Amino acid sequence: MTKDDGEMVEEQKKKPCRFWIWALSSVLFRLILISYAGNLNLSSRPEVSTPLTSIRRLAEGYWLKQASMSPYAGSMYHGSPLLLSLLGPLTVQRIKGQPSHLFCSLVFVIADILSAILLRGIGKKLQMAYGLNARLLGLLKSPRDKAGILPCGDIAALVYLWNPFTIVCCVGLSTSPIENLAVILALNGAVTRRVPLAAFGLVMATHLSLYPAILTIPVIFLLGYGLDAPPLKLFLQTRNVESGNRSSTSSASKQAKSKPTAQLPFLWKTVVHFVFWALVWSLCVMVLCRLSLSKHGGLEEMFKRTYGFILSIEDLSPNIGVFWYFFAEVFDFFRNFFLIVFHVNILFMLLPLAIRLKHRPCFLAFIYLAISSLLKSYPSVGDSALYLSLWALFVNELADMKFSFFLFCGYLGVSLLSPVMHNLWIWRGTGNANFYFGNAIGYACFQIVFVVESVSAMLNHDRALKKCNPNHQKVKN
Amino acid sequence: MKNLTLVVMLLCYSFASSSGDSTIHTNNWAVLVCTSRFWFNYRHMANTLSLYRTVKRLGIPDERIILMLADDMACNSRNQYPAQVFNNENHQINLYGDNVEVDYRGYEVTVENFLRVLTGRHENAVPRSKRLLSDEGSHILLYMTGHGGDEFLKFQDAEELQSHDLADAVKQMKEKRRFKELLIMVDTCQAATLFNQLQSPGVLAIGSSLKGENSYSHHLDSDIGVSVVDRFTYYTLAFFERLNIYDNASLNSLFRSYDPRQLMSTAYYRTDLYQPHLSEVPVTNFFGSVMETIHTDSAYHAFSSRISNSKIKSDTPFNQPFNQLSEQDVKEDLQNTNNQNDELKTEKQKCPYSEMRADLHEKLKKIENVDTMVNLSIAVMILVVMVSSSLL
């Protein structure tokens, strides 16, 4: 017994070392790629840099600000003024002989590492919760069985660091690493029950890009109900069966055998705390934005140019999303109608998913992020990087996902064909927009299949747990 | 008293504002046309190139000059001084230097192309350097030289531009708002007849000779073998060589500098279509490019002509009587409006909320380095997050 325990302790010590080796090697890999950034020319790819995340637009906005004009003049920069004051001075500093925007690349590498560390923290908590729930349900007898549970935190962090999409976004100088960091910060705060951190992350994520606002629902669920767990019914059934086993004739057991109507307690206090902190942080952010834009139109201008730009899809340059092609040909009379349709498309999926998956708020957050990165106005591969790594947090539950190889090949094929189609269309002129848009549609289809399959795999997992339970108890008997 | 000042103000504005438009003068263009070919018309080329040099020296850039030369004198096989064109027998200035940009050359100088340049009706393939891209705030100098006669100007010895063609083109330009003011200067025989038919407002025209008079060349250069400059252009250049870009000489002084005895013809100009007084218009309004700059912190806002007029400071003596009056009246008017604003402000200050907002606004304006404050605040926010997340 002691020998096995010792081995386990050693293994556990080795795992963090292995993780840090892989993490540091990914940082090294990024630094090597950054020195070749000029050759790769990633920052001009539409898949990587969108009108919202491009560093060139940020540099332009900073220059306009320094020339005492509004940073939004000329419709180049559409991001947050706080990001401008943070990253702006870095875009200007150059070292002779080094690639341009070197300091910005370093900031993005740091953001990636921080996101990986925070993901690891989330994963650890989820893994602990998974093990705890499995023991409570009677599926695991001793701590030794925990070796069967995969370390989803390490896996998710390494998937995030080594995902080609993340690397490309980091080296290609798009600001999506910072947006991803804000989202992961919010989730980490919610999972580790640090309310100010969660509120800060959520407010910053919403401020930087509008769509993480939908994450308030899973974050509130995380703070109110707690971490991901199988449905409450399973626990109540287990308790009933156990109490039934112990005393089959007592009246209490007969009462307990009646249908369980208890609901999981919702911690209103924490949620109110969260709302308070969210309001505090939003007030701070608004005041700061007002300060920096006091001479250039104030908050109204900022909202019009950032959120207004995102919602009204003014820029129709091609990207890996599906909106640009459609809105290039829609008649002006119907434009507003279709804008509403496309944006409500995200909104009407929120409620049913929330109802169905409220016992798994972290997974709900992943699904929301996947849907929003599929249906947002200016998607880029940075959004996919985020939800793919969040998917890796659920390897334990989603081990039986169908079509995983098909989806992997699909993602690979789409990401390889996309630059080819772009080149054929724009540079050689032998293709046209349909080539590139076909690729974008294929990408959207793969994403949809991915989301649907993960949800069904999770629900199948819950059903399998339900089936497993009475069988397990029968065997015990 | 107030009514009188208003009336005087209106009069001043009507005098001081140029051509009655509410547009302001934003840029200067020059269209310099030499219409004759063959070696013995060397002087026409020299005329045009001299004016090109003058206009460039006084500030108009090549992008805003359309130079049309019907023949190539500099690289003509008869030119003893290859790649050099002179307008004086002392050969002091080489007009064909390094930075001469000819837009229309040789057989491209036709009446059709000339009219297309003026009206802006080009084929799609015509490059921007060959287009007159003026707008409603442009002052255009149109200089034409060559052989002419009664109501016509000869192009390339093959066709002619008639006075009603020119008037029609100018009318089209005015309708399409392609100029604010236009100065037509013609150096040919019987030049003043060429602008007989003009009717568009905002056009000032001067010709080197009247109907029935010839315009003569100035002198013969025995080295090159032909006359090198015409009289009218020679005396125009003599006037301009004394000027630099900062001088404030008026068009009146230019026009009065032409002596009929020296020109051997009467330089006639018509001002009936041109509203401003010639003594108030500086030559650099047409021959150079000297703009008054008004510093403003806000960009992408157009300012009205009234503000620009009230800020004109003219130092030249002939401008004083008019502008002194207008400045005084403008000051009075400004004082009146200031008083009115103060009255309005005292009314508003009764509300404490707006008082607070006004105070905040003033404080915000006083903070000079907003960016460092914002950065500091972000750093403070992150610190608070870290502290609170580790405590709670």
Side-chain angles (χ1 to χ4, degrees), chain B residues 146-215:
Chain B
H147 288 291
D150 191 3
E151 308 231 356
F152 72 89
L153 172 65
K154 195 165 71 158
F155 265 69
Q156 303 260 15
D157 215 21
E159 50 182 0
E160 56 191 34
L161 172 79
Q162 303 206 331
S163 57
H164 51 257
D165 289 328
L166 182 64
D168 189 51
V170 171
K171 190 175 172 195
Q172 276 193 46
M173 283 174 83
K174 191 67 193 174
E175 270 180 42
K176 288 168 80 166
R177 294 207 270 204
R178 280 167 69 76
F179 68 90
K180 187 166 186 280
E181 291 175 20
L182 174 64
L183 170 62
I184 304 181
M185 195 180 241
V186 189
D187 187 0
T188 69
C189 304
Q190 307 188 50
T193 56
L194 192 64
F195 42 82
N196 265 346
Q197 315 276 352
L198 285 177
Q199 283 169 343
S200 318
V203 179
L204 178 63
I206 179 166
S208 58
S209 47
L210 286 169
K211 174 171 171 158
E213 290 178 0
N214 288 333
S215 294

Side-chain angles (χ1 to χ4, degrees), chain A residues 66-95:
Chain A
Q66 296 303 100
S68 39
M69 284 192 269
S70 160
Y72 300 114
S75 184
M76 274 297 270
Y77 180 61
H78 293 283
S80 145
L82 302 181
L83 200 63
L84 194 65
S85 53
L86 270 180
L87 285 180
L90 294 176
T91 57
V92 185
Q93 306 207 358
R94 276 170 214 281
I95 305 179

